[in-house]
């Protein structure tokens, strides 16, 4: 097929190599292997994560190799470039031959060469040329008739030459797709970075202060970046990741987020994420309102705007602050904004209150562990059922915050606003942890009949107030006497025991009592003594509550199981607050949700080229696979004729085709 | 091997029989009836899809004759199941026919059972060299596919019973696509089996289906993965409906070709042994039972061409979907990248075969290794790598 009249110099052997099949297969393989790298190593993470994972040495090595963004690294682009080059050269090399071949009828074939073909047969009989021509025409062949000097007539027919066209379609398509991809890739940006015209910003500073060298003009051909906009706020730039930093891409318009919303299915799974936005053209000032949803981007000025993420946009919060060191103090109202930091002064000390995200919905799976102990028939039943009631539940809004002291030490808290019901009783839940990596430990504070924590706080205040112990102990002792739990002789001793237990509990909760036991009581007696303490506490807590209620001018709690449980939970709560580690208990009481929407914006002018190339690719593959190129020769000479066939591939189909055509031609001979 | 081919080659329309026309009428009538019932609720896309689907189904039946019986049969079974529901999902556990046969899960469990039986039958047929047993194997494979397709249809309907906003075509999670995988692989096998008169390789092809069935069973008994979940926003797209099935035609054919590769390797190994032993030696165990190596080779090649075409289309559709959902037609997400790797692998395979003219052992090995690459793209990525496709996790 190839004509090698060329000088066999370096240039031509290079051409030979680059356009060769060997080289192409090699490239395909290398490209496949290189692609694996980027799927195994997570791409485009913040650099500190990599440094942490690999240690300083390998971090450097991998950075130099460009492994944190493989698909945009120089070497990867070089492989792609070689693939484009190799495919283009392959086309230029094979193309002319293929075109010539498509055009040709191969009407020079001699009887000898036809006889040498794998599918070739000599038939007896004479047949009119018109009959052959008619048959070939009916069978969809294009053919050329050649009267030969020896008096023989040759019909050289062909069908399905579009198969070769497929080669052009498919291979040109690949070049087209790669060019489209290149236009949308960040090659110009990489070059800009290389010559130092573009420098990614690594500091976390306000957008307006970012220097010119890290900004890209709105005229930039292609880009892809993100921006988070809070409700009723606007943005006219997006941020593009660039290695260890980011770049600011100016937009030709301003985007204002009016509202972000999420819909949920009945089972708590999200159903819709959407943003109502207004796009204002910077030049004309024209405003276009629109809604962007997942899978339904908005396209303005060739820029596609996508719903990419969402979050809190800084919501005003209202909290109630209970001073834990001064339990008798009334709570104060505190205002703040989520995602913002504000100072907090408590008991003469300075703290930083760093609010995190306000989450209005917290969907939790409240169902217990999925039972392993299911019977076979239960399992069969489950396997038949396509709908299971999941115990998914919205546990309501929550706010997280960190409380940082003057030394910079911080603890993180998570406060839920709505009560949680467990076994019929309501609680307020608060999570705390001292390190981000640890799981939250949850505190359950029992709620009173009004659904408030006020009664609990009152109980706590009384428990910690040693001035009340005399009165409490007196009441408890009187009850014990009355119930004949103790003898009159023990009265004095019992009363002081009550006071001692209360004081010790006030100091450090259950663990303070435990510690005392461990230090002072012989091991064999601990169990018994501990039980006594617990009994005393459980008895005294009723009186603590009564005294607290009386002092507040309120009616005592009814004496029933429900309220007794409240008191016991109260003891657990008071004890646990010792490990809470905050000077104040901040209860979330109200908020005004302001959401933020994360929008991704892209401009990719190469997209249409890529789609066009893809269409060509599919057409090309169909032509190559499913259009069979067949050549048929009928050579009539005297009372005989020779039928021969060839095809570029698919020999089995050719077998049956050949049989069919010879049979039909034979039939024509017989009919003649 | 004699190929049953008529020597006549009249035009397509002349080749159509009364049955063909009857089938076409049936499909079109069903489509028309659907239109009368639901036309008002359909938007333009849906109308176009209804029309396209009916024409596609007609074409499919004309192209592959058994489809003319298979598709209406599964349609009737599914309609039967649907009519038993009376609009109440709970009847799936109480109505006899639903509980034991036609609710989607029961139908799918039948599919699993029948595939197991078919595998056993094919192997028994191979060992005993019994054509009858292998015919039975084919029959069981047909029935398994029938129950599978019925199950998918009924599942589709059930999803709407859970909630009108929940309803969606069952190709949205790993469980559903595994059923689809079994179905497509089986149907493609049945097509080639008839075309090449090579029923003996069923024993091999059914092995990969059995493996998938094993996974389905584990996945639903242990993980309750068969529950119908509503679609998260990223999946609410037209593209899903065509992208996923196209992908699974690809995966199915690649799996098919790998199993054929194994069969071919075994035959070739026997041939090599016979050669070493001299001309007098008996052909080996597999060589006596399986079709000739070049027949298997050609089946394998045909399967890969179909797979490659559909995989190309699926990847392009995936890119178009990504352009709607993720902000770019190509993001080098692990799943995307692995699709590219699979594609490059088979592109290289095709070049070696068609341009270099290789045949036999090396390409058979390559097809077997191809399934490892493909499985990683299909499953491994979901299990070991994270990315935008993360909703496919195990
Ligand atoms: C990304 C790279 C490439 C891909 C995905 C690709 C794809 C394909 C496909 C799918 C076929 C169809 C097989 C058939 O049925 O004939 C094919 C055929 C072919 N390719 Fe490539 N190709 C690529 C690069 C190349 C290169 C670089 C060359 C040059 C050496 C080449 C030369 C050929 C030839 C000669 C054929 C056979 C055409 C025929 O005889 O009809 N390909 N290619």
């Amino acid at each position: 097929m190839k004509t090698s009249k060329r000088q066999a110099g370096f240039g031509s052997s290079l051409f030979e190599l680059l356009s060769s099949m060997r080289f192409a297969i090699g490239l395909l393989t290398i490209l496949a292997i290189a692609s694996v790298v980027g799927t195994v190593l997570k791409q485009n993470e913040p650099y500190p994560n990599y440094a942490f994972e690999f240690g300083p040495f390998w971090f450097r090595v991998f950075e130099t190799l460009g492994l944190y963004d493989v698909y945009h690294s120089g070497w990867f682009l070089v492989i792609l470039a070689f693939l484009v080059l190799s495919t283009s050269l392959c086309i230029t090399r094979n193309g002319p031959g293929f075109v010539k071949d498509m055009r040709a009828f191969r009407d020079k074939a001699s009887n000898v060469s036809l006889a040498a073909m794998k599918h070739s047969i000599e038939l007896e009989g004479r047949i009119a040329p018109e009959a052959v021509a008619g048959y070939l025409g009916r069978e969809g062949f294009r053919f050329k008739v050649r009267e030969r000097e020896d008096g023989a007539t040759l019909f050289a027919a062909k069908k399905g030459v579009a198969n070769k066209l497929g080669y052009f379609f498919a291979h040109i398509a690949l070049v087209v797709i790669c060019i489209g991809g290149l236009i949308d890739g960040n090659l110009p940006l990489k070059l800009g970075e290389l010559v130092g015209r573009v420098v990614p910003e690594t500091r976390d500073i306000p957008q307006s202060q970012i220097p010119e060298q890290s900004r890209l003009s709105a005229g930039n051909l292609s880009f892809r970046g993100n921006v988070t906009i809070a409700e009723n706020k606007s943005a006219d730039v997006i941020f593009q990741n660039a290695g260890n930093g980011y770049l600011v891409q100016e937009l030709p318009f301003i985007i204002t987020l009016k509202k972000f919303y999420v819909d949920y299915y009945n089972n708590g799974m999200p159903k819709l994420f959407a943003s109502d936005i207004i796009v204002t053209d910077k030049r004309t000032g024209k405003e276009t309102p629109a809604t962007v949803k997942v899978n339904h981007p908005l396209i303005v000025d060739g820029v596609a705007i996508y719903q990419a993420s969402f979050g809190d946009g800084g919501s005003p919060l209202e909290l109630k602050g209970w001073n834990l060191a001064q339990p008798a103090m009334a709570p104060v109202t505190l205002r703040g904004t989520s995602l913002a930091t504000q100072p907090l002064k408590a008991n003469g000390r300075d703290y930083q209150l760093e609010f995190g995200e306000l989450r209005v919905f917290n969907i939790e799976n409240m169902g217990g562990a999925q039972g392993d102990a299911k019977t076979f028939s239960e399992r069969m039943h489950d396997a038949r059922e396509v709908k299971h009631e999941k115990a998914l539940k919205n546990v309501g809004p929550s706010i997280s915050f960190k409380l940082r002291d003057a030394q910079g030490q911080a603890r993180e808290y998570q406060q839920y606003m709505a009560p949680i019901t467990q076994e019929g009783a309501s609680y307020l839940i608060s999570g705390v942890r001292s390190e981000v990596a640890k799981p939250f430990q949850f505190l359950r504070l029992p709620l009173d009949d009004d659904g408030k924590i006020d009664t609990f706080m009152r109980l706590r205040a009384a428990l910690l107030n040693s001035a009340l112990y005399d009165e409490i102990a007196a009441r408890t002792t009187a009850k014990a006497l009355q119930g004949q739990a103790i003898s009159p002789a023990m009265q004095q001793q019992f009363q002081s025991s009550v006071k001692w237990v209360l004081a010790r509990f006030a100091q450090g909760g259950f663990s303070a009592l435990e510690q005392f036991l461990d230090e002072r009581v012989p091991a064999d007696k601990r169990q018994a003594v501990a039980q006594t303490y617990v009994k005393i506490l459980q008895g005294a807590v009723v009186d603590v509550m009564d005294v607290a209620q009386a002092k507040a001018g309120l009616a005592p709690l009814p004496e029933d199981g429900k309220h007794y449980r409240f008191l016991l939970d109260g003891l657990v709560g008071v004890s646990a607050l010792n490990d809470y580690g905050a000077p104040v208990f901040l209860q979330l009481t109200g908020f005004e949700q302001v959401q933020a929407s994360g929008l991704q914006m892209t401009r990719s002018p190469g997209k249409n080229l890529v789609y066009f190339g893809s269409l060509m690719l599919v057409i090309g593959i169909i032509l190559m696979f499913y259009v069979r190129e067949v050549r048929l020769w009928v050579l009539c000479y005297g009372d005989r004729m020779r039928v021969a066939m060839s095809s570029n591939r698919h020999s089995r189909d050719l077998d049956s085709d050949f049989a069919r055509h010879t049979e039909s031609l034979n039939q024509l001979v017989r009919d003649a | 091997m004699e190929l049953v081919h008529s020597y006549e080659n009249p035009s397509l329309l002349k080749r159509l029989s009364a049955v063909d026309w009857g089938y076409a009428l049936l499909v079109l009538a069903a489509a028309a009836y659907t239109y009368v019932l639901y036309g008002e609720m359909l938007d333009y896309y849906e109308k176009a899809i209804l029309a396209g689907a009916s024409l596609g189904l007609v074409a499919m039946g004309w192209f592959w004759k058994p489809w003319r019986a298979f598709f209406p049969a599964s349609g009737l079974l599914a309609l039967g199941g649907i009519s038993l529901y009376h609009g109440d999902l709970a009847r799936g556990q109480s109505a006899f026919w639903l509980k034991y046969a036609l609710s989607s899960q029961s139908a799918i469990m039948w599919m699993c059972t029948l595939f197991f039986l078919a595998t056993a039958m094919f192997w028994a047929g191979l060992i005993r060299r019994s054509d009858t047993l292998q015919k039975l194997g084919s029959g069981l494979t047909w029935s398994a596919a029938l129950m599978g397709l019925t199950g998918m249809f009924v599942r589709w309907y059930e999803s709407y019973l859970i909630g009108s906003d929940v309803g969606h075509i069952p190709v949205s999670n790993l469980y559903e696509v595994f059923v689809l995988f079994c179905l497509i692989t089986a149907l493609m096998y049945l097509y080639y089996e008839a075309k090449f008169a090579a029923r003996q390789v069923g024993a091999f092809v059914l092995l990969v289906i059995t493996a998938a069935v094993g996974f389905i069973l584990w996945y639903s008994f242990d993980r309750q993965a068969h529950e119908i979940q509503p679609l998260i926003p990223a999946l609410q797209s037209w593209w899903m409906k065509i992208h996923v099935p196209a992908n699974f035609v690809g995966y199915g054919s690649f799996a098919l070709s790998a199993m054929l590769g194994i069969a071919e390797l075994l035959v070739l190994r026997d041939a090599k042994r016979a050669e070493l032993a001299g001309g007098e030696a008996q052909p080996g165990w597999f060589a006596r039972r399986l079709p000739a190596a070049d027949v298997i080779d050609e089946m394998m090649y045909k399967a890969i061409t179909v797979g490659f075409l559909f995989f190309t289309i699926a990847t392009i559709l995936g890119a178009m979907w990504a352009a709607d959902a993720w902000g770019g037609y190509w993001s080098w997400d692990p799943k995307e990248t692995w699709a590219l790797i699979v594609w490059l692998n088979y592109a290289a395979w095709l070049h070696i075969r068609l341009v270099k003219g290789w045949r036999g052992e090396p390409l058979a090995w390559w097809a077997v290794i191809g399934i490892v690459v493909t499985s990683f793209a299909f499953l491994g990525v979901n299990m070991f790598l994270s990315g935008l496709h993360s909703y496919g996790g195990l």
Side-chain angles (χ1 to χ4, degrees), chain A residues 537-551:
Chain A
L537 256 185
Q538 289 176 345
V541 71
V542 180
D543 301 308
V544 177
M545 193 74 249
D546 284 349
V547 170
Q549 290 294 90
K551 272 189 58 101

PDB file of all heavy atoms in Angstrom, chain A residues 537-551:
ATOM      1  N   LEU A 537     -27.741   9.587  97.253  1.00  0.00           N
ATOM      2  CA  LEU A 537     -27.910  10.613  96.216  1.00  0.00           C
ATOM      3  C   LEU A 537     -29.310  10.551  95.608  1.00  0.00           C
ATOM      4  O   LEU A 537     -29.971  11.572  95.429  1.00  0.00           O
ATOM      5  CB  LEU A 537     -26.900  10.386  95.098  1.00  0.00           C
ATOM      6  CG  LEU A 537     -25.688  11.296  95.037  1.00  0.00           C
ATOM      7  CD1 LEU A 537     -24.882  10.967  93.792  1.00  0.00           C
ATOM      8  CD2 LEU A 537     -26.109  12.765  95.018  1.00  0.00           C
ATOM      9  N   GLN A 538     -29.730   9.342  95.304  1.00  0.00           N
ATOM     10  CA  GLN A 538     -31.042   9.190  94.669  1.00  0.00           C
ATOM     11  C   GLN A 538     -32.166   9.633  95.575  1.00  0.00           C
ATOM     12  O   GLN A 538     -33.203  10.109  95.120  1.00  0.00           O
ATOM     13  CB  GLN A 538     -31.247   7.737  94.238  1.00  0.00           C
ATOM     14  CG  GLN A 538     -30.358   7.367  93.054  1.00  0.00           C
ATOM     15  CD  GLN A 538     -30.475   5.913  92.676  1.00  0.00           C
ATOM     16  OE1 GLN A 538     -31.012   5.116  93.467  1.00  0.00           O
ATOM     17  NE2 GLN A 538     -29.987   5.562  91.509  1.00  0.00           N
ATOM     18  N   GLY A 539     -31.946   9.465  96.884  1.00  0.00           N
ATOM     19  CA  GLY A 539     -32.962   9.963  97.808  1.00  0.00           C
ATOM     20  C   GLY A 539     -32.891  11.469  97.931  1.00  0.00           C
ATOM     21  O   GLY A 539     -33.899  12.179  97.894  1.00  0.00           O
ATOM     22  N   ALA A 540     -31.667  11.972  98.046  1.00  0.00           N
ATOM     23  CA  ALA A 540     -31.497  13.400  98.324  1.00  0.00           C
ATOM     24  C   ALA A 540     -31.906  14.261  97.138  1.00  0.00           C
ATOM     25  O   ALA A 540     -32.373  15.388  97.325  1.00  0.00           O
ATOM     26  CB  ALA A 540     -30.050  13.677  98.693  1.00  0.00           C
ATOM     27  N   VAL A 541     -31.770  13.719  95.912  1.00  0.00           N
ATOM     28  CA  VAL A 541     -32.010  14.572  94.754  1.00  0.00           C
ATOM     29  C   VAL A 541     -33.455  15.082  94.725  1.00  0.00           C
ATOM     30  O   VAL A 541     -33.733  16.199  94.273  1.00  0.00           O
ATOM     31  CB  VAL A 541     -31.632  13.828  93.448  1.00  0.00           C
ATOM     32  CG1 VAL A 541     -32.618  12.717  93.139  1.00  0.00           C
ATOM     33  CG2 VAL A 541     -31.574  14.807  92.284  1.00  0.00           C
ATOM     34  N   VAL A 542     -34.367  14.263  95.281  1.00  0.00           N
ATOM     35  CA  VAL A 542     -35.762  14.716  95.335  1.00  0.00           C
ATOM     36  C   VAL A 542     -35.860  15.973  96.188  1.00  0.00           C
ATOM     37  O   VAL A 542     -36.520  16.957  95.830  1.00  0.00           O
ATOM     38  CB  VAL A 542     -36.657  13.605  95.920  1.00  0.00           C
ATOM     39  CG1 VAL A 542     -38.103  14.060  95.992  1.00  0.00           C
ATOM     40  CG2 VAL A 542     -36.520  12.328  95.116  1.00  0.00           C
ATOM     41  N   ASP A 543     -35.129  15.941  97.279  1.00  0.00           N
ATOM     42  CA  ASP A 543     -35.188  17.106  98.182  1.00  0.00           C
ATOM     43  C   ASP A 543     -34.439  18.288  97.609  1.00  0.00           C
ATOM     44  O   ASP A 543     -34.823  19.441  97.799  1.00  0.00           O
ATOM     45  CB  ASP A 543     -34.603  16.708  99.536  1.00  0.00           C
ATOM     46  CG  ASP A 543     -35.384  15.544 100.124  1.00  0.00           C
ATOM     47  OD1 ASP A 543     -36.627  15.659 100.200  1.00  0.00           O
ATOM     48  OD2 ASP A 543     -34.763  14.496 100.406  1.00  0.00           O
ATOM     49  N   VAL A 544     -33.357  17.993  96.911  1.00  0.00           N
ATOM     50  CA  VAL A 544     -32.642  19.093  96.256  1.00  0.00           C
ATOM     51  C   VAL A 544     -33.615  19.838  95.357  1.00  0.00           C
ATOM     52  O   VAL A 544     -33.711  21.067  95.367  1.00  0.00           O
ATOM     53  CB  VAL A 544     -31.462  18.560  95.421  1.00  0.00           C
ATOM     54  CG1 VAL A 544     -30.771  19.703  94.687  1.00  0.00           C
ATOM     55  CG2 VAL A 544     -30.470  17.822  96.293  1.00  0.00           C
ATOM     56  N   MET A 545     -34.369  19.072  94.577  1.00  0.00           N
ATOM     57  CA  MET A 545     -35.306  19.676  93.630  1.00  0.00           C
ATOM     58  C   MET A 545     -36.383  20.456  94.367  1.00  0.00           C
ATOM     59  O   MET A 545     -36.713  21.593  93.995  1.00  0.00           O
ATOM     60  CB  MET A 545     -35.944  18.570  92.768  1.00  0.00           C
ATOM     61  CG  MET A 545     -36.694  19.071  91.551  1.00  0.00           C
ATOM     62  SD  MET A 545     -35.582  19.647  90.246  1.00  0.00           S
ATOM     63  CE  MET A 545     -35.867  21.385  90.261  1.00  0.00           C
ATOM     64  N   ASP A 546     -36.900  19.831  95.441  1.00  0.00           N
ATOM     65  CA  ASP A 546     -37.969  20.501  96.198  1.00  0.00           C
ATOM     66  C   ASP A 546     -37.484  21.833  96.738  1.00  0.00           C
ATOM     67  O   ASP A 546     -38.163  22.858  96.646  1.00  0.00           O
ATOM     68  CB  ASP A 546     -38.431  19.605  97.359  1.00  0.00           C
ATOM     69  CG  ASP A 546     -39.309  18.475  96.836  1.00  0.00           C
ATOM     70  OD1 ASP A 546     -39.696  18.531  95.647  1.00  0.00           O
ATOM     71  OD2 ASP A 546     -39.598  17.544  97.622  1.00  0.00           O
ATOM     72  N   VAL A 547     -36.285  21.806  97.313  1.00  0.00           N
ATOM     73  CA  VAL A 547     -35.742  23.051  97.882  1.00  0.00           C
ATOM     74  C   VAL A 547     -35.554  24.076  96.779  1.00  0.00           C
ATOM     75  O   VAL A 547     -35.911  25.251  96.919  1.00  0.00           O
ATOM     76  CB  VAL A 547     -34.403  22.760  98.606  1.00  0.00           C
ATOM     77  CG1 VAL A 547     -33.708  24.061  98.977  1.00  0.00           C
ATOM     78  CG2 VAL A 547     -34.660  21.915  99.841  1.00  0.00           C
ATOM     79  N   ALA A 548     -35.002  23.605  95.630  1.00  0.00           N
ATOM     80  CA  ALA A 548     -34.774  24.542  94.525  1.00  0.00           C
ATOM     81  C   ALA A 548     -36.092  25.146  94.056  1.00  0.00           C
ATOM     82  O   ALA A 548     -36.182  26.363  93.829  1.00  0.00           O
ATOM     83  CB  ALA A 548     -34.089  23.817  93.368  1.00  0.00           C
ATOM     84  N   GLN A 549     -37.117  24.324  93.937  1.00  0.00           N
ATOM     85  CA  GLN A 549     -38.409  24.819  93.487  1.00  0.00           C
ATOM     86  C   GLN A 549     -38.964  25.833  94.494  1.00  0.00           C
ATOM     87  O   GLN A 549     -39.450  26.895  94.123  1.00  0.00           O
ATOM     88  CB  GLN A 549     -39.424  23.669  93.337  1.00  0.00           C
ATOM     89  CG  GLN A 549     -39.144  22.723  92.183  1.00  0.00           C
ATOM     90  CD  GLN A 549     -39.277  23.364  90.821  1.00  0.00           C
ATOM     91  OE1 GLN A 549     -38.286  23.904  90.295  1.00  0.00           O
ATOM     92  NE2 GLN A 549     -40.471  23.338  90.238  1.00  0.00           N
ATOM     93  N   ALA A 550     -38.860  25.473  95.785  1.00  0.00           N
ATOM     94  CA  ALA A 550     -39.407  26.347  96.813  1.00  0.00           C
ATOM     95  C   ALA A 550     -38.709  27.702  96.790  1.00  0.00           C
ATOM     96  O   ALA A 550     -39.344  28.754  96.873  1.00  0.00           O
ATOM     97  CB  ALA A 550     -39.241  25.683  98.186  1.00  0.00           C
ATOM     98  N   LYS A 551     -37.386  27.650  96.620  1.00  0.00           N
ATOM     99  CA  LYS A 551     -36.648  28.915  96.609  1.00  0.00           C
ATOM    100  C   LYS A 551     -37.028  29.781  95.418  1.00  0.00           C
ATOM    101  O   LYS A 551     -37.015  31.000  95.476  1.00  0.00           O
ATOM    102  CB  LYS A 551     -35.145  28.623  96.558  1.00  0.00           C
ATOM    103  CG  LYS A 551     -34.554  28.463  97.952  1.00  0.00           C
ATOM    104  CD  LYS A 551     -33.048  28.403  97.901  1.00  0.00           C
ATOM    105  CE  LYS A 551     -32.437  29.630  97.252  1.00  0.00           C
ATOM    106  NZ  LYS A 551     -31.896  30.589  98.207  1.00  0.00           N
TER     107      LYS A 551
END
